[in-house]
Amino acid sequence: MKKTKEKGAFLRQCVGCGKRGLKNEFIRIAKTPSGEIVIDGVPSVGGRGAYICNNAECLKKSLKNGRLSKNLRAEIPESILQTLKLTTEENNNDQSV
Ligand SMILES: [Zn+2]
């Protein structure tokens, strides 16, 4: 049997706009096995995760349509929301969206 060489090519999807892309294009919000909601970094925390583009619009959309919490099967704590807002707004500086 041949092994497929697709390692690393798995595309993630933004829960805000639905855009697909590579993992490093997105912010990952994860639920740890103990049920804590965290913004995933390095090393990855594993567990259930949802991805959004690194921009404020997608964050808004993902909250508005409820997909972020639906994907994680948990409410997003206010502290995490604040951090996400700051992170995405910082990144919006030179984007015209
Ligand atoms: Zn998006």
Side-chain angles (χ1 to χ4, degrees):
M1 279 224 188
K2 269 187 182 176
K3 271 189 183 175
T4 48
K5 278 194 168 179
E6 293 296 307
K7 199 178 176 188
F10 182 70
L11 294 180
R12 310 307 202 279
Q13 187 173 24
C14 170
V15 294
C17 67
K19 188 189 104 169
R20 287 172 194 276
L22 298 175
K23 190 181 179 187
N24 60 13
E25 294 177 48
F26 300 111
I27 300 175
R28 182 173 190 256
I29 299 100
K31 188 164 90 169
T32 66
S34 58
E36 197 188 347
I37 302 298
V38 296
I39 297 165
D40 204 0
V42 179
S44 171
V45 295
R48 176 175 289 275
Y51 296 85
I52 58 165
C53 305
N54 193 353
N55 71 59
E57 277 307 305
C58 287
L59 174 63
K60 260 184 232 164
K61 278 185 201 165
S62 69
L63 295 173
K64 206 173 183 185
N65 65 23
R67 275 200 217 146
L68 192 55
S69 49
K70 210 180 273 179
N71 267 34
L72 295 166
R73 295 185 187 160
E75 291 299 317
I76 315 300
E78 191 60 34
S79 60
I80 298 293
L81 288 180
Q82 290 303 327
T83 311
L84 283 173
K85 273 179 196 163
L86 287 176
T87 309
T88 54
E89 275 163 16
E90 249 170 43
N91 193 57
N92 265 11
N93 290 342
D94 56 358
Q95 281 184 2
S96 55
V97 181

